Amino acid sequence: MSSRDSILAAVARNQPARLPLPEMPAFVLGEGDPVEKFAAVAVSVGSKVFRVKNLEEVRQAILKEHVGAKRIVSGFPQFSDMAETSVAPGTDPHTLADMDLAILPAQLGVAENSALWVTDAQLPLRVLPFICQRLALVVRQQNIVPLMHQAYDVIGAQDYGFGTFIAGPSRTADIEQSLVLGAHGARTLSVFILEE
């Protein structure tokens, strides 16, 4: 028997007894409405939050907030009169370099950190939320969960090729403590909480 096999056999003979996994505690947000908490946290990290009843109210807010936007891409076919809604999956991302605004749906939101979950099911192209200058995400109120634990309960068993959490506009102050907005993504984030 080689030294290697001898060591591995000794390790195998001296394993501790198996123990049951510990009980998972119940994680709770605490008191308060998760939607209110989500909105408050989103504002605290630099997002603008709009409570809207329907997509028409989203449209009106977008037109008011983004008057100068020249190129808009949206994942909502309802906005085809004001945005490009048919970005093909194989589109060269470089052709989107001049995109001012992307309006996209989010699958769910997380109250504790205002993170919004988007997957390739909501995105024609993965690059959309990161290459645009300004980003607007629409999440249904009933899809806001209290904590990341509940979010992973929802998304853990789903089948998707790409997914990401987005919270607040992109910013960094790594170098000389100089704040840079839009360093790795959109310079602004508008979050629409859809009541319907």
Side-chain angles (χ1 to χ4, degrees):
M1 176 181 286
S2 69
S3 297
R4 176 181 176 274
D5 293 339
S6 175
I7 291 170
L8 291 177
V11 169
R13 284 192 306 271
N14 291 290
Q15 292 296 308
R18 293 179 181 253
L19 298 174
L21 293 173
E23 291 285 327
M24 290 290 288
F27 296 98
V28 294
L29 180 63
E31 294 185 15
D33 179 14
V35 177
E36 294 296 331
K37 174 75 173 177
F38 174 89
V41 174
V43 169
S44 75
V45 298
S47 301
K48 282 188 171 182
V49 176
F50 302 84
R51 305 283 295 264
V52 293
K53 290 184 171 55
N54 49 49
L55 286 178
E56 181 55 32
E57 289 190 13
V58 174
R59 174 199 305 276
Q60 295 306 319
I62 290 285
L63 292 173
K64 184 177 177 184
E65 289 286 319
H66 301 282
V67 175
K70 293 178 180 160
R71 186 174 185 194
I72 303 173
V73 173
S74 176
F76 292 94
Q78 295 90 335
F79 297 154
S80 61
D81 60 327
M82 59 186 261
E84 300 170 40
T85 58
S86 58
V87 177
T91 300
D92 179 359
H94 295 94
T95 63
L96 300 168
D98 61 344
M99 182 173 47
D100 295 313
L101 173 66
I103 311 166
L104 302 168
Q107 183 182 356
L108 63 83
V110 184
E112 71 170 321
N113 57 12
S114 76
L116 291 152
W117 174 250
V118 293
T119 72
D120 43 12
Q122 289 90 41
L123 302 173
L125 286 177
R126 293 179 185 180
V127 72
L128 281 178
F130 309 107
I131 199 170
C132 61
Q133 292 293 317
R134 303 181 190 287
L135 177 62
L137 292 174
V138 181
V139 62
R140 292 189 181 280
Q141 180 175 294
Q142 66 266 29
N143 294 341
I144 293 177
V145 298
L147 300 170
M148 290 297 287
H149 298 87
Q150 287 83 36
Y152 280 109
D153 286 343
V154 173
I155 69 177
Q158 292 181 349
D159 184 21
Y160 49 85
F162 169 80
T164 186
F165 283 104
I166 299 173
S170 171
R171 60 178 61 192
T172 184
D174 290 349
I175 301 172
E176 297 181 359
Q177 297 183 345
S178 176
L179 179 63
V180 177
L181 298 176
H184 311 293
R187 292 190 297 165
T188 66
L189 174 61
S190 300
V191 180
F192 293 89
I193 302 174
L194 192 60
E195 293 180 8
E196 68 177 16

